[in-house]
Amino acid sequence: MNSKLLNVARRFNSNSTSQMMLANLTFGNMRSSGTPLILVPGLFGTKENWIRVGKELSQRLGCMVFAVENRNHGGSSMAPSMTYPEMADDLVGFIDWVRKITGEDQVNLHGHSMGGKTVTQLATTPEYAPRIKNLIVEDMSPLGYPLKRAEYLDCIKHMIATDMNKSRDEVMAELGEKVSKVLLYQFVRGNLGEDVNGKAQWTCNLNVIDETYIYLLSHDIRFGVFDGPTLFQRASGSGFLPAAHKNRIEKMFPMVKFAETAWSNHWIHADDPKFFVDSICEFLEQPDDLGQLGRKAMI
């Protein structure tokens, strides 16, 4: 079961009410020991985005690593809405499936961007928190952002307006002329497939994402506390984890540590994979003492 797609994440003894199936990739195998690690992407993130770092994390930590896709993305179930409580509920069902197949009581949970806010929603929900041993949040605050942070908004509009009666390559060429940020373009590209006739088609539920985007950006997760070890990975130049949010984060996550990279934009796992993997491994191996990485953080 090394880097193989598991088509269905079944529900085993879960308190989750969600019926969503989350597509995923796994790294490692059933002989792997230790607490499994689950990687949750952000908006437009796909399970394939995690192949490089997923393999390395599994090898270095000696555990199974799972990279999932959120509802309305890729091979996961489609739905008419995608609120943070709903996505946290989806994830609880997946966590319980992982606990069942690995025999572990808890998991280590990581989330990037929208996925980062989802995992903070889950971890600060009292009935869900006991499933989490260590929490990792990649360049995301549990608090909302002003609309000036709406990097994806124009991109979504361009995606919706794109003529899909073309080949995949033609659609990407058209979109490439309109989307200025290279990394944003690369992540959007992962959501473009093609039908049996070779015509391009979006693999994400673009209309629901468009309807939900302002909520996803501006929503605050203000209530609840997670008492377990927590790492916030910060890209110093991205602006997604502002220093002004630090006090609130420390109240919600009293065992929090911060690790910062100056060599990355918002997508740390793609921009600075060495820092991404090293900081996670150091944190999970010594969650009570982040050492040099903790002292380097300037937030």
Side-chain angles (χ1 to χ4, degrees):
M1 195 161 54
N2 184 25
S3 300
K4 289 180 64 178
L5 172 63
L6 300 183
N7 292 315
V8 177
R10 299 189 183 278
R11 301 293 179 256
F12 292 95
N13 300 321
S14 172
N15 291 330
S16 168
T17 59
S18 174
Q19 298 302 311
M20 295 295 107
M21 300 298 184
L22 300 185
N24 64 98
L25 286 174
T26 64
F27 308 94
N29 55 62
M30 295 302 294
R31 295 186 299 277
S32 300
S33 60
T35 305
L37 171 63
I38 298 175
L39 306 172
V40 185
L43 189 67
F44 293 125
T46 67
K47 56 189 180 294
E48 285 79 15
N49 298 146
W50 304 98
I51 291 175
R52 176 180 177 181
V53 294
K55 287 179 178 178
E56 188 170 353
L57 284 166
S58 177
Q59 291 168 358
R60 286 183 56 176
L61 294 170
C63 67
M64 292 186 73
V65 175
F66 299 81
V68 304
E69 288 177 325
N70 296 299
R71 64 165 59 195
N72 291 320
H73 288 73
S76 293
S77 297
M78 300 294 151
S81 61
M82 48 187 298
T83 66
Y84 285 112
E86 287 172 334
M87 289 187 286
D89 203 36
D90 298 343
L91 196 52
V92 168
F94 184 81
I95 289 170
D96 284 349
W97 177 75
V98 169
R99 293 166 64 208
K100 178 70 175 182
I101 67 169
T102 62
E104 297 289 332
D105 291 333
Q106 294 180 302
V107 301
N108 293 322
L109 185 62
H110 164 280
H112 168 245
S113 195
M114 180 185 77
K117 191 165 283 190
T118 298
V119 301
T120 60
Q121 171 79 49
L122 189 157
T124 56
T125 302
E127 61 266 34
Y128 295 163
R131 295 167 167 84
I132 312 306
K133 185 174 182 180
N134 299 287
L135 182 70
I136 305 158
V137 181
E138 180 187 348
D139 206 43
M140 192 65 171
S141 169
L143 304 183
Y145 301 93
L147 296 188
K148 66 181 181 180
R149 295 286 334 177
E151 282 93 343
Y152 274 118
L153 198 54
D154 287 343
C155 182
I156 292 170
K157 300 303 182 186
H158 290 316
M159 292 168 71
I160 291 173
T162 299
D163 180 5
M164 302 301 285
N165 291 310
K166 298 179 178 179
S167 70
R168 185 179 186 277
D169 289 343
E170 289 172 331
V171 168
M172 286 313 305
E174 179 182 336
L175 202 59
E177 296 175 358
K178 300 173 182 177
V179 180
S180 58
K181 289 192 174 182
V182 174
L183 266 174
L184 189 60
Y185 172 81
Q186 290 174 342
F187 272 76
V188 168
R189 181 173 60 188
N191 290 265
L192 185 63
E194 57 185 21
D195 63 18
V196 293
N197 297 315
K199 287 187 178 181
Q201 61 180 11
W202 296 113
T203 59
C204 58
N205 195 336
L206 198 54
N207 288 330
V208 171
I209 290 173
D210 180 43
E211 293 168 359
T212 312
Y213 180 70
I214 298 303
Y215 159 84
L216 295 172
L217 183 72
S218 61
H219 182 69
D220 286 343
I221 297 170
R222 289 188 173 272
F223 305 104
V225 173
F226 177 67
D227 290 323
T230 303
L231 172 66
F232 274 73
Q233 297 173 307
R234 184 179 190 239
S236 59
S238 78
F240 274 89
L241 191 52
H245 292 189
K246 183 182 179 184
N247 288 341
R248 173 62 67 176
I249 291 171
E250 289 176 335
K251 290 178 180 178
M252 296 176 69
F253 305 95
M255 291 185 65
V256 68
K257 302 289 184 180
F258 297 92
E260 182 175 291
T261 172
W263 304 104
S264 173
N265 206 311
H266 182 49
W267 297 270
I268 298 174
H269 58 281
D271 278 354
D272 195 352
K274 183 179 187 306
F275 166 84
F276 176 81
V277 171
D278 286 349
S279 60
I280 288 178
C281 289
E282 182 173 346
F283 171 65
L284 292 181
E285 288 164 357
Q286 295 180 314
D288 296 327
D289 181 11
L290 196 57
Q292 290 299 319
L293 287 167
R295 287 193 285 274
K296 288 178 183 176
M298 300 303 293
I299 186 171

